[in-house]
Amino acid sequence: MQSIQERESYYKQGAPWLADDLKKELGLFNVFNFNPGKNGNPPQLPYSKKDYYKITIIKGSGSGIFLYADREIEIENYSIIFSNPQIPYGWSQRENFSDGFACVFDQAFFHQYGNITNYSVFQPGNNIYQLDEEQFVQLEDIFRRMFEEIECDFIHKYDLLRTLVYELVLYTMKMKPASKLSKQPINASVRISTLFKELLECQFPIDDIYRPLTLRSASDYAKNLNIHVNHLNRALKETFNKTTSQLIIDRILQEAKVLLRQTSWTVSEIAYALGYAEVTHFNNLFKKYLNITPTNFRKADIV
């Protein structure tokens, strides 16, 4: 998997960069049209994590592939897609590309205006919605209003832009996610466990020392899944016979062993990348569960 895609890199692919005053003071926000790509080639978006949220509406006469977490999802005709920076995604257009709009933003843009991540459309498993033509036209109108507002000099235009983002979110939440995304889970515990495992796996592999894990505790995952931590623990215990913390630690140690063997990073760098500010905490965890220090593991010929 590629490293996290920076905003500047994304904008170099064709989206206009945001105004300096907004960049410095109000966080990230911008809105743009898709284009067919250079020489008429379909647009592509490399599979990776991004450091922004994104809402996309697509109107295509052909089909494309939305690469989301560990799945490939076929998109046809009208759709709206919500992308979360915690989940890697990409886009591959296979046939004719007709039209589309997108807006990108970060959590800082909603500072003191609520937590955008609390809405279900940004949670795992609820990210793609099929639209009919009338719904697409209504959402397209919201995007056109965004274009009008971002170009004007109204002093409160960014408040209006936040309102329009919320309008996209709340309008879509009235609908059901596209049925072809996944099969219905057997029960609530399986559903929660599936979403947890998806979110957990999306944190890996670690490919940048300076992009440490952001989800490390049971409460971190419960918050992102919008459920109580006790509910999450019960579901995982029922499904895997392990607690949330045990599953997280198991996955962190699995990644730690890979990094120790396959990279030249120091133990301190690996500890930091895995979310440990103090290398001693990482060393103690590693030794507690594997009965060997990270340094000795790197030297030893063991799995």
Side-chain angles (χ1 to χ4, degrees), residues 118-159:
N118 287 338
Y119 290 91
S120 61
V121 291
F122 289 108
Q123 306 301 324
N126 298 299
N127 307 90
I128 302 177
Y129 296 74
Q130 294 176 339
L131 307 171
D132 57 32
E133 184 174 1
E134 180 181 354
Q135 290 170 329
F136 180 87
V137 170
Q138 292 181 11
L139 294 177
E140 181 182 38
D141 180 65
I142 297 175
F143 276 98
R144 296 194 186 282
R145 288 157 58 196
M146 287 181 176
F147 280 108
E148 294 174 2
E149 295 302 334
I150 204 168
E151 294 296 331
C152 77
D153 57 3
F154 180 46
I155 190 172
H156 297 297
K157 67 179 182 181
Y158 300 127
D159 293 334

Side-chain angles (χ1 to χ4, degrees), residues 22 37 60 178-179 188 196 230 264 301:
L22 181 59
S179 59
F196 166 79
N230 292 341
S264 59
D301 185 21

